[in-house]
Amino acid sequence: MSLTATDWTLPAERPFLIFLQRKGLNLGGANDKIFVVEKDLENNILYVATGNENEYLYTNSALIKDFNYLTDDRIVNCSCKFRYRQQDISCQVEYLEDNQILVKYDNAKAVTPGQFCVLYDGDKCLGGGIIDKVYK
């Protein structure tokens, strides 16, 4: 498996993936934490970035699959959470087919495929689903 630093340009049409894995990579010599920011499984490459505030750790939209609606409301402007105790993040929702939604937000850190996204209208939970892809 190859490791590649993040000194490359992402094509606009390619989803940007973030996987926060720091342990078990057997990397040394860096003065800061190293994060896996993309996996290219077809070519067996991990793309890594250093530092807690690296630009590659931030995204501005996410495709959510298997969204489970808890209400008939289809609110466009609401808030979302990607972690249990996280502050609410203002977002805009685009409702797609096949229980998918596209959630747009301003630069959230470490939104990761496989985790959950939950939508709220104030204190009312609108539903949740699995983060499938994230975009920058």
Side-chain angles (χ1 to χ4, degrees), residues 58-102:
Y58 290 86
T59 60
N60 59 24
S61 59
L63 179 65
I64 312 302
K65 67 179 183 178
D66 301 330
F67 194 81
N68 183 26
Y69 297 97
L70 300 179
T71 176
D72 291 332
D73 299 336
R74 297 297 183 264
I75 297 174
V76 174
N77 294 306
C78 57
S79 63
C80 63
K81 286 188 180 185
F82 302 108
R83 285 178 179 69
Y84 173 64
R85 293 190 181 207
Q86 178 180 43
Q87 293 288 324
D88 289 357
I89 298 172
S90 295
C91 66
Q92 295 78 45
V93 179
E94 183 179 333
Y95 295 91
L96 308 172
E97 296 177 356
D98 300 323
N99 286 339
Q100 293 186 343
I101 61 172
L102 181 65

Side-chain angles (χ1 to χ4, degrees), residues 15 19 29 32 39-40 64 66 70-71 106 112 121 128 130 134:
F19 300 89
D32 212 340
K39 294 179 181 181
D40 181 348
I64 312 302
D66 301 330
L70 300 179
T71 176
D106 288 330
T112 307
D121 181 20
I130 301 168
V134 293

